[in-house]
């Protein structure tokens, strides 16, 4: 794919201008979400990283931020990072899947019992995180700087009715990321998956192309889906990763001092983003605010079990069919890590 044909001359102009103003080292960091660090975890991560790197390098490194998908769709920006046009990006599972499809193993419904276990597993420090990152780096050539959840557990929103049982999913057109595993979840529950890129979701919900969608509460909030959706169902059915990557040649070309700085700044920024997601969920920027505008219901344990009974076999079968023995091995490693981390509590 010709990136400049896809992105247009605007991207080229932006990047050339950035190079003209560059410090000794310039890191262009892109992400899909709002720049405001109090609206999204990737906004937090980018802001903290920029502050730490620029201040601790005494201005030798400049970090230029490109939020809100300014440089293109998620998968396109990852390609820009792989080719060296952009240095770094914080990406959703949907974007990564185009380049590394085993990210789909995270999508076994109800595999994670709580956000505490999820936070420990979806991390560079967990046994699974290390295995996952090593495989991703080996197959994509990217350098992974951070691994974090996408903002919490997914909930369903829609414009038709509360989702209180599996039967309520019947016929609902639910927007998903372009992940076969997410499509399988919706299909197994009786819904109609409608895969769309992020930039098209709000309009699709507004015009009725899709009846609903699924995302964590912080994303539902900053995307203002309450303006075009009436019902919010807290199902906690899946949690997916965001992956922070950097061009490996650029990373390896940094001085030892600058590489160390990038490493620890990314770690601190990632943990800041993880904490911000929890703050947003609990604050007037998250669920309390949405509850004032939407009808909210919470799926109980018995109904969650029925959802899991319907969806888990479908996703596991898809992983085995599409990714083979390698996919099942990665899935089993994930499930083993979940069991391991349960012991921490």
């Amino acid at each position: 794919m010709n990136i400049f044909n896809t992105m247009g001359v605007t991207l080229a102009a932006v990047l050339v201008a950035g190079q003209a103003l560059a410090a000794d080292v310039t890191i262009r960091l892109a992400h899909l979400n709002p720049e405001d660090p109090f609206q999204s975890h990737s906004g937090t991560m980018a802001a903290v990283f920029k502050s730490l790197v620029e201040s601790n390098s005494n201005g030798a490194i400049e970090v230029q931020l490109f939020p809100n998908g300014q440089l293109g769709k998620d998968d396109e920006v990852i390609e820009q990072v792989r080719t060296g046009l952009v240095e770094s990006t914080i990406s959703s599972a949907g974007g990564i899947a185009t380049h590394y499809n085993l990210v789909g193993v995270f999508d076994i419904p109800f595999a994670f019992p709580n956000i505490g276990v999820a936070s420990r597993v979806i991390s560079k420090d967990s046994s699974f995180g290390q295995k996952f990152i090593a495989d991703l780096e080996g197959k994509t050539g990217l350098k992974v700087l951070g691994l974090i959840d996408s903002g919490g557990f997914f909930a369903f929103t829609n414009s038709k009715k509360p989702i209180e049982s599996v039967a309520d999913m019947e016929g609902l057109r639910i927007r998903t990321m372009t992940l076969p595993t997410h499509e399988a979840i919706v299909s197994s529950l009786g819904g109609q998956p409608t895969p769309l890129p992020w930039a098209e979701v709000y309009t699709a919900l507004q015009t009725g192309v899709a009846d609903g969608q699924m995302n964590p509460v912080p994303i539902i909030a900053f995307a203002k889906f309450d303006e075009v959706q009436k019902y919010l169902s807290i199902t906690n059915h899946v949690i997916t990763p965001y992956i922070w990557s950097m061009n490996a040649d650029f990373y390896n070309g940094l001085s030892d001092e600058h590489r160390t700085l990038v490493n620890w700044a990314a770690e601190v920024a990632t943990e800041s983003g993880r904490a911000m997601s929890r703050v947003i969920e609990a604050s007037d920027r998250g669920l309390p605010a949405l509850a004032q505008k939407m009808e909210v219901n919470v799926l109980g344990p018995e109904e969650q079990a029925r959802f899991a009974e319907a969806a888990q076999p479908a996703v596991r079968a898809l992983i085995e069919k599409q990714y083979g023995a390698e996919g099942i091995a990665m899935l089993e490693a994930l499930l083993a890590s979940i069991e391991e981390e349960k012991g921490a509590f």
Side-chain angles (χ1 to χ4, degrees), residues 192-330:
Q192 298 178 22
T194 307
L196 292 169
W198 176 247
E200 299 175 19
V201 178
Y202 186 96
T203 301
L205 298 174
Q206 186 178 44
T207 59
V209 170
D211 298 318
Q213 59 85 52
M214 59 184 199
N215 260 304
V217 163
I219 294 178
I220 294 169
F222 78 65
K224 299 182 179 179
F225 289 154
D226 56 283
E227 296 177 349
V228 290
Q229 301 275 268
K230 183 176 180 180
Y231 302 100
L232 169 60
S233 300
I234 307 298
T235 49
N236 293 339
H237 57 286
V238 74
I239 189 166
T240 65
Y242 261 43
I243 297 165
W244 186 352
S245 62
M246 179 171 276
N247 178 274
D249 289 339
F250 173 82
Y251 175 84
N252 292 326
L254 294 170
S255 67
D256 290 344
E257 179 183 1
H258 285 170
R259 198 180 309 117
T260 297
L261 171 55
V262 164
N263 287 341
W264 70 253
E267 181 173 338
V268 172
T270 298
E271 292 312 307
S272 299
R274 199 185 304 277
M276 182 55 68
S277 289
R278 308 290 81 82
V279 171
I280 293 171
E281 285 176 319
S283 75
D284 59 5
R285 290 176 178 261
L287 187 57
L290 292 174
Q292 294 180 13
K293 301 176 182 179
M294 305 177 75
E295 184 176 320
V296 179
N297 71 284
V298 179
L299 210 65
E302 290 185 2
E303 202 57 43
Q304 282 185 331
R306 294 187 183 96
F307 270 67
E309 184 180 2
Q312 282 182 353
V315 175
R316 188 180 183 94
L318 185 144
I319 289 172
E320 185 170 12
K321 179 180 178 180
Q322 292 207 349
Y323 313 141
E326 183 182 38
I328 291 297
M330 187 67 77

Side-chain angles (χ1 to χ4, degrees), residues 140-151:
T140 65
L142 293 165
K143 170 64 182 176
V144 174
L145 298 180
L147 182 63
I148 187 173
D149 68 83
S150 58

Side-chain angles (χ1 to χ4, degrees), residues 44-301:
T44 303
M45 293 159 70
V48 171
F49 182 75
K50 175 179 174 68
S51 174
L52 291 175
V53 168
E54 291 184 347
S55 61
N56 285 277
S57 67
N58 294 317
I61 304 177
E62 178 188 8
V63 179
Q64 298 177 358
L65 303 182
F66 297 89
N68 289 311
Q70 288 178 11
L71 302 187
K73 297 176 182 177
D74 218 1
D75 61 327
E76 294 170 345
V77 180
I78 296 167
E79 182 63 25
Q80 293 167 32
V81 173
R82 293 181 74 177
T83 59
L85 183 61
V86 175
E87 285 74 35
S88 187
T89 185
I90 303 169
S91 310
S92 71
I96 284 288
T98 303
H99 304 270
Y100 180 73
N101 57 17
L102 289 185
V103 71
V105 301
F106 282 94
D107 294 328
I108 288 290
F110 304 101
F112 292 91
N114 55 61
I115 195 64
V117 169
S119 295
R120 293 177 70 93
V121 172
I122 307 174
S123 163
K124 288 184 67 178
D125 298 327
S126 74
S127 59
F128 177 76
Q130 293 169 13
K131 175 182 176 66
F132 177 80
I133 287 169
D135 194 59
L136 187 155
E137 289 181 338
K139 291 176 178 174
T140 65
L142 293 165
K143 170 64 182 176
V144 174
L145 298 180
L147 182 63
I148 187 173
D149 68 83
S150 58
F153 285 102
F154 277 48
F156 283 110
T157 69
N158 80 96
S159 59
K160 302 295 185 182
K161 57 187 174 181
I163 297 173
E164 299 176 331
S165 67
V166 174
D168 292 326
M169 289 289 296
E170 185 66 33
L172 287 178
R173 293 168 296 177
I174 302 294
R175 178 268 173 180
T176 68
M177 289 188 276
T178 51
L179 284 167
T181 41
H182 282 202
E183 294 175 44
I185 290 171
V186 173
S187 294
S188 69
L189 296 172
Q192 298 178 22
T194 307
L196 292 169
W198 176 247
E200 299 175 19
V201 178
Y202 186 96
T203 301
L205 298 174
Q206 186 178 44
T207 59
V209 170
D211 298 318
Q213 59 85 52
M214 59 184 199
N215 260 304
V217 163
I219 294 178
I220 294 169
F222 78 65
K224 299 182 179 179
F225 289 154
D226 56 283
E227 296 177 349
V228 290
Q229 301 275 268
K230 183 176 180 180
Y231 302 100
L232 169 60
S233 300
I234 307 298
T235 49
N236 293 339
H237 57 286
V238 74
I239 189 166
T240 65
Y242 261 43
I243 297 165
W244 186 352
S245 62
M246 179 171 276
N247 178 274
D249 289 339
F250 173 82
Y251 175 84
N252 292 326
L254 294 170
S255 67
D256 290 344
E257 179 183 1
H258 285 170
R259 198 180 309 117
T260 297
L261 171 55
V262 164
N263 287 341
W264 70 253
E267 181 173 338
V268 172
T270 298
E271 292 312 307
S272 299
R274 199 185 304 277
M276 182 55 68
S277 289
R278 308 290 81 82
V279 171
I280 293 171
E281 285 176 319
S283 75
D284 59 5
R285 290 176 178 261
L287 187 57
L290 292 174
Q292 294 180 13
K293 301 176 182 179
M294 305 177 75
E295 184 176 320
V296 179
N297 71 284
V298 179
L299 210 65

